[in-house]
Amino acid sequence: MNNILILGYSNIAIRRILPALEKINSIETIEIATKSKNIDRKGKIKKTFDCYDKAIESFSGKIIYISLANFLHDEILLKCLSKGFDCIIDKPAILREGTLVKAKKIARQKSVTFAEATVFNFHSAWKESIEILGGSENINRAVGFFQIPDLDNENFRMSSEKGGGAHLDMSAYSIGIGRVLWDESPKNIEILNVEFDNDLLKSFELKADFGKKRNIYGKFGFGFEYKNKIEFFSKIGSISYERAFSPPCDIEIPLKIKTNDKSILKMQSPDDTFENFIKFFLS
């Protein structure tokens, strides 16, 4: 059995992380540290703290989930790893390259691991699409869109000082599509049509060449009408589906399949990407 400490009581923690943890049988208790909100101790939630350091020092479990404002990730991750905890971190997990070098070194020394909570590929719609098209080796192109309206000005994602900006918030999607699909790093990346609002990077387009005539294209950013979609292309046809990067756990996802001049709509059963990802991490 596992105990888990969540640092931060973010919207994503409330809406997706906690419900997922409640469903995972191997998670026995949950502790939460937050400086901004009151928490009801219900379900698996057994302890709460108003200080991150105090929570870390008193935690007797093995796993910490960091769900804080982006600019806090690097410092808190290194602190948790150095104390021997396995860590999951909301995207973007790490903002500075130097932190990644240090984190890998500490993880080896302490025999622990850490992972960014990039979960879009843990939905059955992703896996089913690839399987229908004959496997990732048969897919030569993918196109992704994740464009959302502007967030509230109080949201840290709208502040460059707090680690905000579309490039940080959505890079896990934009470059992650190809890295997950083909299990490789891109050979070349081209960033186009970058839009700034003062010092905040609000939107961008990306082209990534993964070699072997495989490529990715996408548009990502804030300040748009909502669009959340991915489409895969292969020699035998294409598949697209909506809500690709943040699929709700309680609705069916329609797969729009085009093969051999035929169009088919296949309903994919509800699936919880956070539950699947956390189970994968635990394994």
Side-chain angles (χ1 to χ4, degrees):
M1 302 297 284
N2 296 288
N3 300 333
I4 190 166
L5 168 63
I6 303 176
L7 299 179
Y9 198 53
S10 64
N11 289 333
I12 197 71
I14 295 168
R15 292 187 295 105
R16 299 302 304 270
I17 298 167
L18 284 168
L21 292 173
E22 289 287 347
K23 291 186 287 185
I24 298 174
N25 292 331
S26 62
I27 298 294
E28 188 172 22
T29 65
I30 302 169
E31 301 177 19
I32 303 174
T34 178
K35 296 181 179 180
S36 60
K37 299 174 183 176
N38 295 320
I39 303 172
D40 293 330
R41 295 187 185 181
K42 58 183 179 180
K44 295 180 181 180
I45 302 173
K46 304 303 181 184
K47 291 183 181 180
T48 59
F49 303 86
D50 59 7
C51 173
Y52 304 137
D53 288 337
K54 185 176 180 180
I56 295 168
E57 291 295 334
S58 66
F59 183 53
S60 60
K62 181 64 176 169
I63 305 162
I64 293 181
Y65 197 123
I66 301 169
S67 189
L68 298 166
N70 294 345
F71 75 101
L72 295 171
H73 287 186
D74 293 58
E75 175 188 353
I76 298 295
L77 172 62
L78 293 179
K79 181 177 294 185
C80 292
L81 292 175
S82 67
K83 292 187 176 295
F85 295 111
D86 295 310
C87 295
I88 300 173
I89 321 97
D90 279 344
K91 61 165 186 64
I94 293 171
L95 274 65
R96 296 182 290 275
E97 186 176 357
T99 302
L100 181 59
V101 174
K102 292 178 183 177
K104 288 181 177 180
K105 182 178 180 181
I106 295 170
R108 286 193 296 268
Q109 292 172 341
K110 296 289 184 177
S111 297
V112 294
T113 191
F114 60 97
E116 180 180 71
T118 302
V119 303
F120 66 87
N121 57 301
F122 283 84
H123 196 284
S124 59
W126 170 278
K127 298 173 185 176
E128 182 70 8
S129 297
I130 294 171
E131 186 174 318
I132 290 172
L133 293 176
S136 59
E137 65 275 10
N138 290 321
I139 297 173
N140 51 42
R141 179 171 170 79
V143 176
F145 296 91
F146 198 4
Q147 298 170 301
I148 64 174
D150 279 330
L151 301 167
D152 187 280
N153 287 332
E154 299 301 315
N155 192 304
F156 69 82
R157 294 174 180 82
M158 300 298 289
S159 168
S160 59
E161 294 180 356
K162 295 182 179 180
H167 61 310
L168 293 176
D169 193 57
M170 298 182 174
S171 61
Y173 306 132
S174 63
I175 200 63
I177 298 171
R179 292 178 66 181
V180 174
L181 179 60
W182 295 306
D183 194 26
E184 293 183 27
S185 295
K187 308 301 181 185
N188 184 65
I189 299 172
E190 186 177 1
I191 306 297
L192 308 167
N193 298 323
V194 179
E195 180 187 353
F196 282 91
D197 182 359
N198 293 320
D199 61 345
L200 182 73
L201 197 158
K202 290 194 65 178
S203 66
F204 65 95
E205 296 178 33
L206 175 140
K207 293 181 179 179
D209 179 3
F210 282 80
K212 302 177 184 177
K213 297 182 179 180
R214 303 169 303 176
N215 62 84
I216 299 294
Y217 171 76
K219 290 185 177 182
F220 304 86
F222 312 140
F224 297 91
E225 182 179 350
Y226 188 80
K227 190 172 185 179
N228 183 348
K229 178 183 178 181
I230 194 166
E231 186 165 9
F232 301 104
F233 297 87
S234 75
K235 292 181 179 179
I236 65 173
S238 66
I239 296 178
S240 66
Y241 63 96
E242 306 284 344
R243 305 300 294 271
F245 299 106
S246 57
C249 61
D250 57 352
I251 67 169
E252 292 184 316
I253 300 294
L255 302 182
K256 298 178 181 179
I257 306 167
K258 297 179 181 179
T259 57
N260 300 322
D261 298 323
K262 295 180 180 179
S263 295
I264 303 170
L265 191 65
K266 179 179 180 180
M267 302 305 294
Q268 196 69 24
S269 299
D271 203 10
D272 190 333
T273 54
F274 277 88
E275 180 185 4
N276 296 338
F277 167 78
I278 294 169
K279 284 180 176 178
F280 173 78
F281 181 84
L282 294 174
S283 71

